[in-house]
């Protein structure tokens, strides 16, 4: 296939442009799973959930959301868009996505990155001065897992 078409979300908690109301985190999580279902039914190729560790996003645990989406979809690939590998445990990332792959019959993919927002570094006890080294070290470990 020359290219794939899909949608992604971070589970933003933003005001509805029509009503001005702010969804609850629970509502936004449920909408995220519904978005995956609709994307699957529409024939899109990929549905992604990105990782953020801020109160204005519900995407702090993309693997959990993708596991729920795996149970509600049939064909669409399910991916992180992005897994902030620099502040994650690569073995746990692999295990979580291996489980999503089982739930989804082989439709899970990891997109690993450094993260453009850096709020996860101090949250998980990392120093921003180690930004590049952490990514290289953790990516090397992730790629070594059979």
């Amino acid at each position: 296939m020359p290219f794939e078409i899909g949608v992604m979300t971070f589970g933003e908690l933003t005001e509805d442009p029509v009503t001005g109301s702010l969804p609850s985190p629970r509502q936004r999580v449920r909408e995220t799973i519904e978005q995956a279902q609709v994307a699957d039914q529409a024939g899109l190729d990929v549905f992604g959930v990105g990782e953020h560790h801020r109160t204005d996003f519900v995407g702090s645990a993309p693997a959990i959301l993708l596991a729920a989406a795996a149970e509600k979809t049939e064909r669409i690939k399910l991916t992180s868009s992005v897994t902030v590998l620099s502040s994650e445990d690569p073995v746990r990332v692999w295990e979580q996505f291996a489980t999503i792959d089982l739930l989804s019959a082989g439709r899970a993919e990891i997109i690993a990155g450094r993260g453009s927002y850096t709020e996860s570094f101090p949250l998980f006890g990392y120093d921003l001065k180690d930004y590049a080294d952490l990514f290289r070290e953790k990516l090397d470990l992730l790629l070594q897992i059979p």
Side-chain angles (χ1 to χ4, degrees):
M1 174 176 270
F3 62 88
E4 296 174 322
I5 298 176
V7 294
M8 62 79 61
T9 184
F10 289 108
E12 302 86 350
L13 289 169
T14 56
E15 289 183 2
D16 182 294
V18 175
T19 67
S21 65
L22 191 65
S24 70
R26 183 175 192 275
Q27 177 185 350
R28 189 64 182 104
V29 165
R30 295 177 68 78
E31 290 170 352
T32 299
I33 304 309
E34 185 178 334
Q35 286 176 333
Q37 287 178 287
V38 171
D40 189 48
Q41 293 165 356
L44 295 180
D45 302 304
V46 180
F47 180 78
V49 177
E51 179 181 344
H52 268 298
H53 298 277
R54 297 176 13 181
T55 58
D56 54 339
F57 295 95
V58 297
S60 61
I64 302 286
L65 294 172
L66 293 170
E71 291 296 304
K72 298 288 187 176
T73 59
E74 297 177 9
R75 185 198 60 78
I76 199 165
K77 287 183 189 173
L78 302 168
T79 186
S80 59
S81 57
V82 63
T83 295
V84 183
L85 194 59
S86 302
S87 60
E88 291 277 1
D89 179 326
V91 175
R92 290 297 296 151
V93 168
W94 186 91
E95 290 172 336
Q96 291 166 356
F97 278 83
T99 302
I100 296 167
D101 208 51
L102 292 171
L103 290 169
S104 68
R107 296 182 286 129
E109 293 185 353
I110 300 169
I111 296 177
R114 299 172 192 244
S116 57
Y117 290 89
T118 57
E119 70 274 355
S120 66
F121 286 80
L123 181 65
F124 293 110
Y126 294 109
D127 192 322
L128 277 176
K129 70 179 171 108
D130 300 324
Y131 184 78
D133 292 335
L134 282 167
F135 182 74
R136 273 191 297 274
E137 173 187 317
K138 292 183 177 204
L139 181 60
D140 287 346
L141 178 55
L142 180 65
L143 293 172
Q144 289 177 33
I145 300 171

